Amino acid sequence: PRELWDLASCSLVSWCSSLEESQSHILTRPAVMLVAVAVCKLAFAMGELLGPVGHHPALSPPPDSNKDWTLPPKLREEWAEFFSEGVFSVLLPVFVTVSSSLDPNIISNLIIAL
């Protein structure tokens, strides 16, 4: 139902904001790292499902993953106009900050987890 998509989208934006606030602990607290990985995986899944289709082959999901999803009207539009910016404008700077950390061992463990 529509309400679940709204819940997932709003929660994802909220969780991204929480990660932004706690980014200094992503590499030092395992629980924060696990939440960061889960949020990134959800952002990837939502972006893959709701992102642009047909604009450029690199932006479209692979042919075998094109399932017959019945999505609520305007969900892709809402994702493109609001939710995706709220998610990726936070996750990208957090990723850059974390990946520029001085400890390459921790970074490699985080990348493997993703």
Side-chain angles (χ1 to χ4, degrees), residues 5 8 12 17 21 24 29 33 42 44 53 63-64 66 72 77 82-83 95 102 105 108 112:
W5 285 107
L12 182 57
S17 295
E21 294 169 8
S24 62
R29 295 188 179 161
M33 184 183 291
L42 179 58
F44 172 79
V53 175
D64 62 336
N66 285 335
E77 181 181 334
F82 176 74
F83 291 112
F95 175 78
L102 297 176
N105 293 324
S108 63
I112 288 170

mmCIF file of all heavy atoms in Angstrom, residues 5 8 12 17 21 24 29 33 42 44 53 63-64 66 72 77 82-83 95 102 105 108 112:
data_model
loop_
_atom_site.group_PDB
_atom_site.id
_atom_site.type_symbol
_atom_site.label_atom_id
_atom_site.label_comp_id
_atom_site.label_asym_id
_atom_site.label_seq_id
_atom_site.Cartn_x
_atom_site.Cartn_y
_atom_site.Cartn_z
ATOM 1 N N TRP A 5 5.090 2.684 1.364
ATOM 2 C CA TRP A 5 6.116 3.368 0.568
ATOM 3 C C TRP A 5 6.466 4.701 1.213
ATOM 4 O O TRP A 5 7.642 5.093 1.261
ATOM 5 C CB TRP A 5 5.631 3.572 -0.865
ATOM 6 C CG TRP A 5 5.666 2.314 -1.659
ATOM 7 C CD1 TRP A 5 4.599 1.564 -2.050
ATOM 8 C CD2 TRP A 5 6.821 1.636 -2.151
ATOM 9 N NE1 TRP A 5 5.019 0.469 -2.756
ATOM 10 C CE2 TRP A 5 6.384 0.493 -2.837
ATOM 11 C CE3 TRP A 5 8.192 1.887 -2.074
ATOM 12 C CZ2 TRP A 5 7.263 -0.399 -3.441
ATOM 13 C CZ3 TRP A 5 9.068 0.998 -2.678
ATOM 14 C CH2 TRP A 5 8.593 -0.124 -3.351
ATOM 15 N N ALA A 8 8.601 3.954 4.282
ATOM 16 C CA ALA A 8 9.972 3.569 3.905
ATOM 17 C C ALA A 8 10.770 4.779 3.437
ATOM 18 O O ALA A 8 11.925 4.966 3.835
ATOM 19 C CB ALA A 8 9.938 2.493 2.818
ATOM 20 N N LEU A 12 13.837 6.392 5.557
ATOM 21 C CA LEU A 12 15.167 6.403 4.962
ATOM 22 C C LEU A 12 15.792 7.789 5.066
ATOM 23 O O LEU A 12 16.965 7.926 5.430
ATOM 24 C CB LEU A 12 15.104 5.935 3.508
ATOM 25 C CG LEU A 12 16.432 5.858 2.758
ATOM 26 C CD1 LEU A 12 17.423 4.945 3.467
ATOM 27 C CD2 LEU A 12 16.196 5.387 1.330
ATOM 28 N N SER A 17 19.736 11.270 7.931
ATOM 29 C CA SER A 17 20.038 12.437 8.772
ATOM 30 C C SER A 17 20.696 12.006 10.078
ATOM 31 O O SER A 17 21.630 12.655 10.557
ATOM 32 C CB SER A 17 18.769 13.227 9.074
ATOM 33 O OG SER A 17 18.248 13.766 7.888
ATOM 34 N N GLU A 21 24.549 12.929 11.559
ATOM 35 C CA GLU A 21 24.841 13.429 12.898
ATOM 36 C C GLU A 21 25.820 12.530 13.646
ATOM 37 O O GLU A 21 26.564 12.999 14.501
ATOM 38 C CB GLU A 21 23.552 13.563 13.703
ATOM 39 C CG GLU A 21 22.609 14.619 13.170
ATOM 40 C CD GLU A 21 21.237 14.566 13.812
ATOM 41 O OE1 GLU A 21 21.042 13.818 14.785
ATOM 42 O OE2 GLU A 21 20.351 15.286 13.317
ATOM 43 N N SER A 24 30.858 10.601 12.918
ATOM 44 C CA SER A 24 32.153 10.471 13.588
ATOM 45 C C SER A 24 32.270 9.146 14.339
ATOM 46 O O SER A 24 33.366 8.741 14.724
ATOM 47 C CB SER A 24 32.370 11.634 14.555
ATOM 48 O OG SER A 24 31.379 11.631 15.563
ATOM 49 N N ARG A 29 32.135 2.631 16.417
ATOM 50 C CA ARG A 29 31.057 1.925 17.138
ATOM 51 C C ARG A 29 30.382 0.946 16.176
ATOM 52 O O ARG A 29 29.731 1.358 15.210
ATOM 53 C CB ARG A 29 30.047 2.916 17.689
ATOM 54 C CG ARG A 29 30.659 3.812 18.740
ATOM 55 C CD ARG A 29 29.634 4.653 19.420
ATOM 56 N NE ARG A 29 30.274 5.487 20.437
ATOM 57 C CZ ARG A 29 29.730 6.568 20.939
ATOM 58 N NH1 ARG A 29 28.530 6.954 20.545
ATOM 59 N NH2 ARG A 29 30.359 7.267 21.852
ATOM 60 N N MET A 33 28.029 1.396 12.696
ATOM 61 C CA MET A 33 28.483 0.882 11.406
ATOM 62 C C MET A 33 27.424 -0.038 10.786
ATOM 63 O O MET A 33 27.143 0.056 9.588
ATOM 64 C CB MET A 33 29.795 0.119 11.538
ATOM 65 C CG MET A 33 30.354 -0.346 10.198
ATOM 66 S SD MET A 33 31.861 -1.318 10.299
ATOM 67 C CE MET A 33 33.030 -0.105 10.834
ATOM 68 N N LEU A 42 19.529 -0.053 1.879
ATOM 69 C CA LEU A 42 18.154 0.349 1.604
ATOM 70 C C LEU A 42 18.129 1.483 0.583
ATOM 71 O O LEU A 42 17.296 1.480 -0.328
ATOM 72 C CB LEU A 42 17.437 0.776 2.890
ATOM 73 C CG LEU A 42 15.998 1.238 2.721
ATOM 74 C CD1 LEU A 42 15.126 0.146 2.085
ATOM 75 C CD2 LEU A 42 15.414 1.676 4.063
ATOM 76 N N PHE A 44 20.307 2.028 -1.751
ATOM 77 C CA PHE A 44 20.612 1.430 -3.048
ATOM 78 C C PHE A 44 19.370 0.750 -3.624
ATOM 79 O O PHE A 44 19.032 0.941 -4.792
ATOM 80 C CB PHE A 44 21.757 0.414 -2.906
ATOM 81 C CG PHE A 44 21.986 -0.379 -4.152
ATOM 82 C CD1 PHE A 44 22.693 0.168 -5.215
ATOM 83 C CD2 PHE A 44 21.488 -1.667 -4.277
ATOM 84 C CE1 PHE A 44 22.897 -0.556 -6.382
ATOM 85 C CE2 PHE A 44 21.687 -2.396 -5.431
ATOM 86 C CZ PHE A 44 22.398 -1.842 -6.489
ATOM 87 N N VAL A 53 14.458 5.413 -15.310
ATOM 88 C CA VAL A 53 14.354 4.242 -16.178
ATOM 89 C C VAL A 53 14.381 4.726 -17.617
ATOM 90 O O VAL A 53 13.615 5.607 -17.996
ATOM 91 C CB VAL A 53 13.048 3.460 -15.905
ATOM 92 C CG1 VAL A 53 12.894 2.320 -16.883
ATOM 93 C CG2 VAL A 53 13.024 2.943 -14.482
ATOM 94 N N PRO A 63 18.398 -5.764 -17.166
ATOM 95 C CA PRO A 63 17.165 -6.328 -17.737
ATOM 96 C C PRO A 63 16.541 -7.427 -16.890
ATOM 97 O O PRO A 63 15.338 -7.520 -16.794
ATOM 98 C CB PRO A 63 17.605 -6.883 -19.088
ATOM 99 C CG PRO A 63 18.896 -6.214 -19.389
ATOM 100 C CD PRO A 63 19.505 -5.801 -18.079
ATOM 101 N N ASP A 64 17.359 -8.267 -16.252
ATOM 102 C CA ASP A 64 16.791 -9.370 -15.482
ATOM 103 C C ASP A 64 16.152 -8.908 -14.171
ATOM 104 O O ASP A 64 15.424 -9.660 -13.549
ATOM 105 C CB ASP A 64 17.846 -10.445 -15.208
ATOM 106 C CG ASP A 64 19.013 -9.915 -14.384
ATOM 107 O OD1 ASP A 64 19.269 -8.703 -14.405
ATOM 108 O OD2 ASP A 64 19.669 -10.739 -13.719
ATOM 109 N N ASN A 66 14.166 -6.223 -14.003
ATOM 110 C CA ASN A 66 12.947 -5.465 -14.307
ATOM 111 C C ASN A 66 11.731 -6.330 -14.003
ATOM 112 O O ASN A 66 11.229 -7.042 -14.851
ATOM 113 C CB ASN A 66 12.913 -5.026 -15.778
ATOM 114 C CG ASN A 66 13.843 -3.881 -16.045
ATOM 115 O OD1 ASN A 66 14.162 -3.115 -15.157
ATOM 116 N ND2 ASN A 66 14.279 -3.762 -17.285
ATOM 117 N N PRO A 72 2.694 2.792 -6.524
ATOM 118 C CA PRO A 72 1.669 3.834 -6.429
ATOM 119 C C PRO A 72 1.933 4.965 -7.421
ATOM 120 O O PRO A 72 3.091 5.248 -7.747
ATOM 121 C CB PRO A 72 1.809 4.347 -4.990
ATOM 122 C CG PRO A 72 2.485 3.248 -4.252
ATOM 123 C CD PRO A 72 3.368 2.567 -5.250
ATOM 124 N N GLU A 77 8.013 10.021 -9.133
ATOM 125 C CA GLU A 77 8.128 11.482 -9.176
ATOM 126 C C GLU A 77 8.520 12.032 -7.801
ATOM 127 O O GLU A 77 9.402 12.887 -7.687
ATOM 128 C CB GLU A 77 6.804 12.081 -9.639
ATOM 129 C CG GLU A 77 6.806 13.572 -9.757
ATOM 130 C CD GLU A 77 5.439 14.106 -10.208
ATOM 131 O OE1 GLU A 77 4.685 13.371 -10.881
ATOM 132 O OE2 GLU A 77 5.146 15.264 -9.859
ATOM 133 N N PHE A 82 12.090 14.695 -4.327
ATOM 134 C CA PHE A 82 12.306 14.985 -2.915
ATOM 135 C C PHE A 82 13.187 13.956 -2.212
ATOM 136 O O PHE A 82 14.256 14.286 -1.702
ATOM 137 C CB PHE A 82 10.965 15.102 -2.184
ATOM 138 C CG PHE A 82 11.109 15.310 -0.709
ATOM 139 C CD1 PHE A 82 11.525 16.533 -0.208
ATOM 140 C CD2 PHE A 82 10.861 14.278 0.176
ATOM 141 C CE1 PHE A 82 11.684 16.724 1.152
ATOM 142 C CE2 PHE A 82 11.018 14.461 1.544
ATOM 143 C CZ PHE A 82 11.429 15.688 2.033
ATOM 144 N N PHE A 83 12.749 12.716 -2.192
ATOM 145 C CA PHE A 83 13.393 11.721 -1.345
ATOM 146 C C PHE A 83 14.820 11.406 -1.765
ATOM 147 O O PHE A 83 15.711 11.305 -0.917
ATOM 148 C CB PHE A 83 12.556 10.440 -1.279
ATOM 149 C CG PHE A 83 11.265 10.618 -0.541
ATOM 150 C CD1 PHE A 83 10.057 10.547 -1.205
ATOM 151 C CD2 PHE A 83 11.243 10.875 0.818
ATOM 152 C CE1 PHE A 83 8.858 10.715 -0.537
ATOM 153 C CE2 PHE A 83 10.055 11.047 1.511
ATOM 154 C CZ PHE A 83 8.855 10.966 0.829
ATOM 155 N N PHE A 95 29.923 9.271 3.072
ATOM 156 C CA PHE A 95 30.822 8.282 2.475
ATOM 157 C C PHE A 95 32.208 8.875 2.251
ATOM 158 O O PHE A 95 33.223 8.240 2.553
ATOM 159 C CB PHE A 95 30.256 7.752 1.157
ATOM 160 C CG PHE A 95 31.189 6.818 0.452
ATOM 161 C CD1 PHE A 95 31.327 5.509 0.865
ATOM 162 C CD2 PHE A 95 31.953 7.263 -0.617
ATOM 163 C CE1 PHE A 95 32.207 4.648 0.236
ATOM 164 C CE2 PHE A 95 32.827 6.410 -1.256
ATOM 165 C CZ PHE A 95 32.960 5.099 -0.832
ATOM 166 N N LEU A 102 41.842 7.778 8.250
ATOM 167 C CA LEU A 102 43.263 7.414 8.234
ATOM 168 C C LEU A 102 43.500 5.912 8.337
ATOM 169 O O LEU A 102 44.583 5.450 8.040
ATOM 170 C CB LEU A 102 43.983 8.120 9.392
ATOM 171 C CG LEU A 102 43.980 9.639 9.327
ATOM 172 C CD1 LEU A 102 44.639 10.219 10.575
ATOM 173 C CD2 LEU A 102 44.707 10.116 8.082
ATOM 174 N N ASN A 105 42.301 -0.240 7.127
ATOM 175 C CA ASN A 105 41.738 -1.551 7.503
ATOM 176 C C ASN A 105 40.259 -1.453 7.822
ATOM 177 O O ASN A 105 39.459 -2.291 7.429
ATOM 178 C CB ASN A 105 42.494 -2.144 8.677
ATOM 179 C CG ASN A 105 43.909 -2.504 8.331
ATOM 180 O OD1 ASN A 105 44.186 -2.939 7.216
ATOM 181 N ND2 ASN A 105 44.812 -2.302 9.260
ATOM 182 N N SER A 108 38.308 -0.869 4.560
ATOM 183 C CA SER A 108 38.135 -2.072 3.752
ATOM 184 C C SER A 108 37.067 -2.980 4.354
ATOM 185 O O SER A 108 36.291 -3.603 3.638
ATOM 186 C CB SER A 108 39.453 -2.815 3.572
ATOM 187 O OG SER A 108 39.937 -3.268 4.819
ATOM 188 N N ILE A 112 33.635 -4.052 2.415
ATOM 189 C CA ILE A 112 33.263 -5.465 2.273
ATOM 190 C C ILE A 112 31.843 -5.694 2.791
ATOM 191 O O ILE A 112 31.072 -6.434 2.204
ATOM 192 C CB ILE A 112 34.267 -6.365 3.032
ATOM 193 C CG1 ILE A 112 35.599 -6.380 2.285
ATOM 194 C CG2 ILE A 112 33.736 -7.776 3.197
ATOM 195 C CD1 ILE A 112 36.734 -7.024 3.045
#
